[in-house]
Amino acid sequence: MAKLYFIYAAMNAGKSTILLQSAYNYRERGMQVMLWTSGHYREGQEETAEISSRIGLNARAHLYREEIDLFEAITAMKNDGAVDAVFIDEAQFLAPGQVWQLARVADQLHIPVMCYGLRTDFQGKLFPGSAELLAIADQLREVRTICHCGRKATMTARVDPEGKAITEGQQVEVEKSRYVSLCRKHWEAATKIH
C-alpha cells in the first residue's frame, strides 16, 4: 500500500543526502523513481535542476512551481513508463493543494511519495507545505541533528555575517550558510522572539 511520507528536520540534518540514498536504493533494484525539487528560488531555469547534498551526492530532478499540478505531471510520466516512487526535496515550499495532489498519487496511482523538508522557518513558523504535510501525511519521520550544546536541534536560526540571529525578513533566504540549527532553548535565547 503506497503512502505519503513527510521526513522533516532542521537545516543541515542531511535530508537531501537521505533522499538521494533512498532514490539510489530504488534504482539499484531496477525501479524507476521521479525526483522533484522546488523552483521557488530558481527563476528562469529550465524544467529540471539538481538535488545536491553537502557531502557531494547529487541527482537531476524536475522542478515544481506553484502552478504545476503534480498529480497530472506524475500521471503523465507514469503513462510514459513505470514510476515506482516519487521523491520531493524542499517539500516545505509545496503549496497546500500540491500536498493533496501528492496524496492522490499515493492513493489513486499507488505510488509511494516521500517528501523531505523543513518543518519551520527561522521565525519558528510552519511553512504552508509543511503544515499540510503534518496534517495529512500517512507517516511522519524526524531526521535528527544536534545543537552546539549537544541537544537535539529542532529549530533553525538565520544569522547575519557576525553570527547574530536575525528575526525579520522574507521567509526564504537562499544562502544556506546563513542558517544554524539550534535546540529550542538556544533558538529562543538567540532570537528573543517569544
Side-chain angles (χ1 to χ4, degrees), residues 3 18 26 59 68 72 80 112 136 138 157 165:
K3 294 180 180 179
I18 296 167
Y26 272 84
I68 292 177
E72 286 182 10
D80 287 343
I136 71 165
D138 298 301

Side-chain angles (χ1 to χ4, degrees), residues 41-165:
Y41 51 83
R42 293 179 174 107
E43 293 304 319
Q45 278 192 322
E46 300 295 319
E47 299 294 314
T48 62
E50 191 172 85
I51 297 172
S52 59
S53 70
R54 290 177 294 130
I55 64 170
L57 301 175
N58 57 61
R60 298 295 297 163
H62 301 275
L63 284 177
Y64 70 83
R65 293 187 171 86
E66 194 168 336
E67 67 273 8
I68 292 177
D69 184 314
L70 291 169
F71 180 78
E72 286 182 10
I74 294 166
T75 299
M77 293 289 213
K78 183 179 180 193
N79 291 339
D80 287 343
V83 176
D84 296 300
V86 174
F87 292 86
I88 310 288
D89 196 31
E90 300 178 341
Q92 69 270 13
F93 298 133
L94 291 164
Q98 288 176 314
V99 173
W100 281 95
Q101 293 162 13
L102 293 170
R104 284 194 290 281
V105 168
D107 297 341
Q108 296 175 22
L109 301 180
H110 311 289
I111 299 171
V113 179
M114 277 75 58
C115 299
Y116 296 77
L118 299 173
R119 185 178 55 148
T120 59
D121 66 13
F122 74 105
Q123 295 176 323
K125 307 257 189 267
L126 287 170
F127 285 95
S130 301
E132 206 71 22
L133 282 161
L134 287 167
I136 71 165
D138 298 301
Q139 282 197 328
L140 303 172
R141 179 176 153 222
E142 183 178 21
V143 177
R144 296 174 187 229
T145 191
I146 58 169
C147 179
H148 61 80
C149 70
R151 292 172 55 186
K152 180 175 87 169
T154 58
M155 309 295 286
T156 301
R158 183 183 296 166
V159 296
D160 65 17
E162 288 77 43
K164 184 180 175 193

Side-chain angles (χ1 to χ4, degrees), residues 15-26 28 57 87:
K15 296 176 298 299
S16 295
T17 301
I18 296 167
L19 179 156
L20 293 168
Q21 180 65 49
S22 297
Y24 177 84
N25 290 344
Y26 272 84
E28 189 176 44
L57 301 175
F87 292 86

